[in-house]
Amino acid sequence: MEAVHGHDHAHDHHGPTGIMKYLTTTNHKDIGSMYLWFSFSMFLLGGAMALVIRAELFQPGLQIVNPEFFNAMTTYHGLIMVFGAIMPAFVGFANWLIPMQIGAPDMAFPRMNNWSFWLLPPAALLLILAQFTPGGPAGVGWTLYPPLTIQQGMSMDLTIFAVHILGMSSIMGSINIITTVLNMRAPGMTLMKMPLFCWTWLITAYLLIAVMPVLAGAVTMLLTDRHFDTHFFNPAGGGDPVLFQHIFWFFGHPEVYIIAIPAFGVISQVIPAFARKPLFGYSSMVYATASIAILSFLVWAHHMYTVGMPVQAQLYFMFATMLIAVPTGVKVFNWVATMWKGSMTFETPMLFAIGFLFLFTIGGFTGLVLAITPVDVQLHDTYYVVAHFHYVMVAGALFSAFAGIYFWLPKWIGKMYDEGLGKLHFWLSFIFFNLAFFVQHFLGLAGMPRRIPDYSLQFTDFNMVSTIGAFGFGLSQLLFLYIILKAIRSGEKAPQRPWEGADSIEWTMLPTPAPYHSFEKPPVIR
Amino acid sequence: MDRAYGEEPRSFMLVSRHNNSLSSTGRSAVLGSFVFVSAAISLAFALHGAWMILPFAGAEIAILYLAFRAIARRAGDYESISICGDRILVERWESGRPTRFEFNRLWVQVIVHPGRGGGAGALAVRSHGREVEFGRHLTPEQRAEVARTLKNQLGRARRS
């Protein structure tokens, strides 16, 4: 008998088991989970490096590590956290949520999706191997500025290759997200009906496609300067190290938004659910996100006011940078307006979302301070900058990731986390985060430079407070791991809609937990 | 499409296609915007001496083009079932590859396999031990509707 069986029969959950299941899976949920676990393991590794930095800075003088190793820790902490932890975390969210939120069965290119994940572990391995190469790990900072990078040992080459591989993974992931969001929306799911998370990822994917070749080109030119006698950036051969800074920050500033914009998407889903009101100003949120993305291409040189540039350029970059506060303000006001007169409850996802809102706004304001050229000339490369970007990256992106994980965990695994422990995790994270980083504003204002293992005696007290906060924050994340494992092993069964205000289609049209294949047939959205 | 060269006219035809939310114009516009932005960025840096961004931008756009081309090929996929004189034709077009199955109109049966959850599962036409599925892009409700329509049409054709 010749028979051609239906899609829903052919894709029943057969196939390899064990490790081969994960090596070969093309299911967006499996791949999303792998991204999230990978990201968490990188978060712990990068966090351990941060604790080495903070332990050394607990007291003035050199106690624990030598300066070269300290520099390596600052370098790899930054690279691992940005490329290994935060970016993959949001790609994990994208994999899990985009098909379920637009009514698609999977991503547009499932095999490419598998490949883009499996490029990450080799890249992480290269970054880890770089610690053990002859000449020691590179201590150049995550910005990889030449000419120092040209003078480093073999670890620099491994780092460059790792950045290349991570970039390839990002490009493939972006292509998948763009094609999925644009081409696989269910009938009736118009662009302006999509949940905001999908919008933010569509815009982020555009940014990634635009800037990843810039990073790839930059690190390749570093490589050829190191080994093939080119002189793009080597002043000894007539090259221009400042050109590298322009190229790097042309990638690097949009990169900040590549991390922040999906975080905005998560928050835009969580706040309406717990305020029990629709998101205020949906379309203005979409346009504000797009405006932030466009502006992010026009402000890169505010990271390099001190390298020397014409005063007209300084003025331009100062005003252009301040302009970003307008669409960002639109978003913050819309989130606040969504909560206004809402029937709010404060479960863990909402606590992290409000924590995000409060702390990210502080990070935004200190960004405005740093945008002012004469102020930045004073504060450049001080701990004020470190405090600023940790408010954006940790309290912004990481808190949003926590909010998202607590929010969607019941949908993903069909079990509830321990609410009491979740709230404890939030309060510990919130308090210790501020203990670690708020005091760094004072250190920066007092003139303590970043990326040094030793400092003058007058900075001691605030550094001690910061180190205590950092260790408290780090240990609190082990509680997060415990909460997740406890939920997976013995969490209470989640109801169909654990959050009554959650109204996107993954909550209203799919069972909890979500089935292995979400929408085998596209739902009709009205 | 209703009538291939040398064939009798088709008295009934149903076509089922993939859901594609991006039109071919949309595909061109999206790809064009990427080409424009990537070219502008990489050429601007090339003019300042950093020409090595160009090949990466080119490679990326090439991959993006291949992805959009794959989507365009899939967008053309369809299944059709038609009554053409004494024959029932099931035709498929998948990634540029056509497949065609023919059945005798008087012998063919329309089968709806039970689906998970009680709805309509796979819809198929069967005759002389051959069974070919139809309506893989349809929802269970749509498959049940198509099955009713097909049975009516076949009944009408047999009575005429």
Side-chain angles (χ1 to χ4, degrees):
Chain A
M1 171 189 266
E2 180 186 342
V4 185
H5 289 292
H7 181 75
D8 38 354
H9 301 288
H11 279 249
D12 268 347
H13 194 18
H14 300 308
T17 53
I19 185 72
M20 283 310 288
K21 176 190 166 188
Y22 290 100
L23 279 173
T24 58
T25 183
T26 53
N27 182 282
H28 71 103
K29 297 185 180 81
D30 287 341
I31 294 173
S33 299
M34 291 195 298
Y35 264 109
L36 288 167
W37 281 112
F38 173 83
S39 134
F40 188 72
S41 50
M42 288 293 106
F43 173 62
L44 293 183
L45 178 63
M49 291 174 167
L51 294 185
V52 172
I53 295 169
R54 284 313 322 167
E56 177 56 52
L57 291 173
F58 185 68
Q59 285 183 315
L62 297 176
Q63 281 87 26
I64 300 173
V65 292
N66 63 45
E68 289 77 22
F69 190 71
F70 182 92
N71 287 342
M73 288 296 98
T74 61
T75 304
Y76 289 97
H77 164 71
L79 286 170
I80 286 172
M81 285 304 202
V82 169
F83 292 107
I86 300 183
M87 282 176 72
F90 286 108
V91 182
F93 277 103
N95 264 289
W96 253 105
L97 296 171
I98 287 176
M100 294 203 296
Q101 291 194 329
I102 62 170
D106 206 305
M107 301 296 276
F109 297 101
R111 288 193 185 95
M112 189 163 79
N113 205 17
N114 171 291
W115 196 25
S116 50
F117 171 76
W118 281 111
L119 282 173
L120 295 180
L125 193 65
L126 285 179
L127 288 177
I128 293 167
L129 282 178
Q131 312 301 311
F132 307 103
T133 49
V140 294
W142 86 282
T143 51
L144 311 175
Y145 280 2
L148 192 55
T149 29
I150 298 168
Q151 298 152 3
Q152 296 285 304
M154 189 180 159
S155 61
M156 199 61 235
D157 301 320
L158 297 186
T159 306
I160 288 171
F161 287 131
V163 169
H164 264 302
I165 295 172
L166 291 164
M168 281 166 60
S169 166
S170 291
I171 288 169
M172 287 194 288
S174 303
I175 290 174
N176 231 330
I177 287 168
I178 289 168
T179 47
T180 305
V181 171
L182 291 179
N183 193 52
M184 294 182 71
R185 279 172 288 119
M189 178 64 80
T190 59
L191 283 173
M192 292 310 271
K193 276 189 193 165
M194 279 197 309
L196 211 79
F197 178 77
C198 299
W199 256 115
T200 54
W201 248 114
L202 180 63
I203 291 166
T204 301
Y206 258 89
L207 281 181
L208 276 164
I209 295 281
V211 300
M212 274 299 158
V214 178
L215 177 67
V219 294
T220 307
M221 286 183 275
L222 281 182
L223 195 72
T224 58
D225 272 10
R226 285 169 55 77
H227 296 296
F228 301 103
D229 284 337
T230 59
H231 299 284
F232 288 105
F233 309 126
N234 189 354
D240 181 5
V242 175
L243 176 64
F244 179 87
Q245 296 191 23
H246 280 289
I247 298 171
F248 180 83
W249 286 113
F250 191 85
F251 148 79
H253 196 77
E255 172 68 17
V256 174
Y257 292 99
I258 285 164
I259 289 169
I261 288 176
F264 297 163
V266 170
I267 297 301
S268 301
Q269 304 274 154
V270 172
I271 287 181
F274 292 93
R276 291 163 181 79
K277 276 176 67 192
L279 183 68
F280 183 87
Y282 172 91
S283 49
S284 67
M285 288 297 245
V286 172
Y287 299 134
T289 310
S291 308
I292 291 172
I294 292 165
L295 286 171
S296 74
F297 286 110
L298 308 175
V299 297
W300 74 92
H302 69 217
H303 293 272
M304 36 189 292
Y305 284 137
T306 55
V307 299
M309 68 175 87
V311 72
Q312 294 88 343
Q314 292 184 6
L315 280 170
Y316 161 73
F317 283 109
M318 179 169 83
F319 290 130
T321 304
M322 288 176 163
L323 201 59
I324 296 187
V326 176
T328 311
V330 168
K331 296 188 83 75
V332 170
F333 285 123
N334 281 357
W335 287 321
V336 174
T338 304
M339 290 191 278
W340 178 252
K341 292 189 174 177
S343 296
M344 299 224 288
T345 49
F346 298 93
E347 288 88 343
T348 310
M350 186 61 160
L351 287 178
F352 271 106
I354 293 175
F356 161 93
L357 194 52
F358 183 60
L359 299 177
F360 180 80
T361 305
I362 294 177
F365 279 134
T366 54
L368 272 177
V369 171
L370 290 168
I372 303 165
T373 314
V375 176
D376 184 80
V377 170
Q378 296 297 313
L379 294 176
H380 187 85
D381 266 348
T382 68
Y383 259 81
Y384 192 88
V385 178
V386 178
H388 156 68
F389 68 71
H390 280 90
Y391 268 75
V392 175
M393 294 285 127
V394 181
L398 184 64
F399 273 33
S400 144
F402 285 145
I405 287 169
Y406 284 116
F407 183 63
W408 279 293
L409 193 71
K411 175 57 67 181
W412 295 343
I413 65 170
K415 293 177 182 173
M416 295 301 291
Y417 60 87
D418 185 320
E419 188 62 51
L421 288 180
K423 285 180 174 166
L424 179 66
H425 174 225
F426 167 74
W427 284 112
L428 289 174
S429 297
F430 187 83
I431 292 165
F432 282 123
F433 169 80
N434 282 295
L435 213 55
F437 293 107
F438 200 78
V439 292
Q440 292 184 2
H441 292 109
F442 306 138
L443 288 169
L445 288 167
M448 179 171 163
R450 65 193 283 206
R451 291 174 176 153
I452 52 157
D454 190 9
Y455 51 81
S456 303
L457 287 175
Q458 72 267 28
F459 301 131
T460 309
D461 293 344
F462 282 140
N463 268 300
M464 282 183 167
V465 171
S466 181
T467 298
I468 291 166
F471 272 84
F473 186 78
L475 292 174
S476 306
Q477 305 325 310
L478 297 179
L479 173 62
F480 172 66
L481 178 62
Y482 172 73
I483 294 168
I484 299 299
L485 293 177
K486 182 170 178 245
I488 293 170
R489 287 170 65 96
S490 59
E492 279 179 33
K493 188 178 181 312
Q496 166 61 24
R497 253 168 98 175
W499 324 118
E500 62 176 333
D503 60 358
S504 44
I505 65 169
E506 80 273 21
W507 295 109
T508 57
M509 291 186 153
L510 282 176
T512 298
Y516 193 63
H517 297 292
S518 306
F519 290 104
E520 290 176 338
K521 302 290 173 266
V524 178
I525 313 295
R526 292 186 174 86
Chain B
M1 179 66 224
D2 274 5
R3 185 175 181 177
Y5 178 75
E7 276 190 347
E8 294 172 64
R10 300 179 185 206
S11 56
F12 170 79
M13 185 169 187
L14 259 174
V15 180
S16 139
R17 291 182 192 280
H18 268 299
N19 169 50
N20 290 293
S21 47
L22 187 65
S23 64
S24 60
T25 318
R27 281 196 296 275
S28 308
V30 172
L31 192 60
S33 70
F34 279 120
V35 171
F36 175 75
V37 170
S38 273
I41 293 170
S42 48
L43 284 171
F45 279 117
L47 289 174
H48 286 85
W51 57 268
M52 273 203 192
I53 294 166
L54 268 172
F56 288 102
E60 184 192 57
I61 293 298
I63 297 170
L64 199 64
Y65 167 75
L66 291 175
F68 273 78
R69 199 179 69 163
I71 286 178
R73 289 182 70 180
R74 271 192 244 163
D77 288 1
Y78 70 87
E79 289 177 316
S80 76
I81 187 162
S82 50
I83 301 174
C84 181
D86 285 342
R87 292 172 301 152
I88 303 290
L89 303 176
V90 178
E91 290 164 313
R92 291 206 187 114
W93 184 272
E94 284 174 323
S95 301
R97 287 191 308 275
T99 329
R100 181 174 160 129
F101 304 92
E102 279 192 30
F103 297 90
N104 186 311
R105 190 191 76 190
L106 300 172
W107 288 94
V108 79
Q109 284 179 294
V110 177
I111 310 287
V112 182
H113 292 285
R116 287 176 298 187
L123 165 66
V125 285
R126 181 196 286 170
S127 175
H128 292 85
R130 281 170 76 219
E131 183 175 314
V132 173
E133 194 193 346
F134 177 77
R136 290 179 299 168
H137 312 315
L138 304 177
T139 62
E141 296 75 28
Q142 288 169 327
R143 279 199 294 264
E145 174 70 30
V146 168
R148 271 194 300 277
T149 312
L150 273 176
K151 283 175 183 171
N152 281 341
Q153 288 291 333
L154 286 173
R156 196 176 300 162
R158 281 171 192 151
R159 284 194 297 274
S160 63

